[in-house]
């Protein structure tokens, strides 16, 4: 009888353990019913310290730390692992940018373009009737977004430039040897005015821009791009000085001949007139953006 009891007890315990049940196990013999309560199954759980949030609708407490930490890691990984790097050259200068993919069609870009790029747009320009040689010192950091609205090579871009562009200008006289500067319709004798040199810079500290372009992929990782558009740089501040700083008045050429008459203006006053013409020149108010480059995608 004892052997039967032990066998029955062992079988009951094994059966309850295999089923992972915590219900009591009842064993009956000839004299009495004896209840054996199975030990609850022990589960080991180790977790990082967590913060919890109570969901009133579901009536449960949930761990929010994993989601927050996971989201932060995802954002950090995107920042330190950009989607692309590009090199570019154009009217804003020589430069590069880094891109981060926000989704399949949208990319955030941060870049810089600058240097002396005056030769890219001819190296000179006309302000009314005076021609100026230009040396440029550009610095154009920018932040923008590139969108592929049709998920193909066509792109649209927009963003903000922080311009710090300086132009050094030198006036060229007209009319051959000796020559003249034609300012406000008057031809001031170049010999009496002296050389006219100055600087220009944009007034805007922030310049919005917009572009359209194309970005075809040549391989899985390598591609080319081109963009055209404009940036609103605002008016320019100009400073022009004459090499003749005397108080002598300068001469005006009379007609097509060599006859001259007294203008009643000093050379620096003539330079001030040229300065005003430069500031009134509005083609630099909207800075054209034309650039090409290459992109490597990770």
């Amino acid at each position: 009888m004892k052997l039967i009891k032990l066998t029955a007890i062992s079988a009951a315990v094994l059966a309850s353990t295999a089923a992972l049940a915590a219900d009591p196990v009842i064993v009956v013999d000839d004299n009495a019913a004896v209840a054996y309560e199975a030990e609850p199954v022990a589960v080991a759980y180790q977790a990082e310290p967590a913060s919890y949030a109570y969901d009133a609708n579901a009536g449960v407490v949930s761990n929010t730390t994993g989601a927050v930490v996971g989201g932060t890691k995802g954002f950090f990984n995107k920042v330190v692992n950009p989607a692309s790097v590009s090199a570019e050259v154009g009217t804003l200068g020589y430069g590069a940018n880094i891109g981060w993919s926000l989704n399949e069609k949208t990319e955030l870009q941060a870049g810089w373009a600058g240097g002396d790029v005056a030769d890219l747009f001819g190296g000179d320009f006309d302000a009314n009737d005076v021609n100026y040689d230009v040396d440029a010192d550009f610095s154009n950091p920018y932040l923008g977004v590139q969108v592929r609205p049709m998920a193909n090579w066509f792109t649209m871009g927009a963003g903000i430039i922080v311009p710090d562009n300086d132009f050094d200008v030198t006036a060229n006289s007209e009319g051959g040897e000796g020559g003249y500067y034609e300012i406000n319709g008057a031809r001031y004798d170049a010999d009496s005015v002296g050389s006219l040199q100055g600087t220009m810079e944009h007034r805007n500290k922030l310049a919005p821009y917009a572009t359209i372009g194309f970005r075809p992929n040549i391989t899985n990782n390598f591609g080319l791009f081109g963009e055209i558009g404009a940036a609103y740089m605002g008016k320019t501040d100009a400073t022009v000085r004459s090499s003749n700083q005397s108080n002598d008045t300068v001469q005006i050429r009379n007609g097509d001949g060599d006859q001259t008459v007294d203008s009643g203006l000093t050379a620096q006053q003539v330079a001030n007139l040229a300065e005003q013409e430069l500031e009134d020149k509005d083609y630099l108010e909207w800075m054209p953006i034309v650039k090409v480059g290459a992109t490597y995608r990770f």
Side-chain angles (χ1 to χ4, degrees):
M1 180 61 68
K2 289 183 178 179
L3 178 61
I4 294 175
K5 287 182 179 180
L6 291 173
T7 302
I9 292 171
S10 299
V13 171
L14 289 173
S16 63
T17 302
L20 299 178
D23 295 332
V25 177
I26 310 297
V27 178
V28 181
D29 61 14
D30 294 338
N31 300 317
V34 180
Y36 297 86
E37 183 171 345
E39 292 291 333
V41 178
V43 179
Y45 176 76
Q46 181 176 1
E48 295 293 331
S51 58
Y52 296 88
Y54 179 72
D55 188 338
N57 295 325
V60 297
V61 176
S62 60
N63 181 352
T64 61
T65 301
V68 173
V69 173
T72 303
K73 286 182 178 178
F75 174 77
F76 180 76
N77 287 336
K78 283 187 176 181
V79 171
V80 299
N81 297 292
S84 65
V85 293
S86 301
E88 64 183 59
V89 59
T91 54
L92 294 179
Y94 308 90
N97 67 64
I98 302 175
W100 294 269
S101 292
L102 302 182
N103 54 50
E104 292 181 354
K105 295 183 179 180
T106 308
E107 186 173 275
L108 178 67
Q109 290 184 337
W112 178 90
D116 184 357
V117 294
D119 289 339
L120 293 177
F121 48 88
D124 66 341
F125 70 95
D126 293 329
N128 290 340
D129 295 315
V130 180
N131 178 263
Y132 290 90
D133 289 330
V134 182
D135 288 322
D137 184 12
F138 279 14
S139 177
N140 292 295
Y142 62 88
L143 181 66
V145 175
Q146 281 284 334
V147 179
R148 298 175 183 260
M150 294 177 286
N152 59 10
W153 55 265
F154 175 72
T155 63
M156 300 176 66
I160 292 291
I161 300 172
V162 186
D164 184 12
N165 301 325
D166 296 324
F167 301 85
D168 293 328
V169 297
T170 302
N172 296 312
S173 61
E174 303 289 339
E177 187 177 352
Y180 57 86
Y181 303 110
E182 187 167 348
I183 302 172
N184 286 348
R187 296 181 174 182
Y188 296 94
D189 181 67
D191 287 337
S192 57
V193 171
S195 64
L196 296 176
Q197 295 182 321
T199 61
M200 300 173 61
E201 63 179 6
H202 293 109
R203 296 177 185 174
N204 280 10
K205 302 306 179 185
L206 293 176
Y209 75 87
T211 62
I212 59 173
F214 64 94
R215 289 179 174 264
N217 293 324
I218 307 303
T219 67
N220 288 337
N221 300 106
F222 181 74
L224 302 175
F225 70 88
E227 294 179 39
I228 59 172
Y232 182 69
M233 299 289 190
K235 296 287 188 178
T236 56
D237 289 323
T239 300
V240 177
R241 295 187 64 81
S242 170
S243 61
N244 179 7
Q245 290 295 300
S246 73
N247 291 323
D248 297 337
T249 57
V250 301
Q251 302 296 305
I252 294 178
R253 294 282 183 90
N254 187 11
D256 295 329
D258 292 332
Q259 293 181 342
T260 60
V261 295
D262 192 347
S263 68
L265 300 176
T266 66
Q268 184 55 48
Q269 288 174 324
V270 173
N272 293 341
L273 294 177
E275 179 181 298
Q276 188 60 52
E277 284 191 344
L278 279 175
E279 291 188 346
D280 290 343
K281 184 69 175 176
D282 61 1
Y283 90 98
L284 289 175
E285 185 174 354
W286 287 91
M287 187 73 178
I289 296 176
V290 180
K291 62 181 176 180
V292 294
T295 297
Y296 183 83
R297 296 192 173 279
F298 297 101

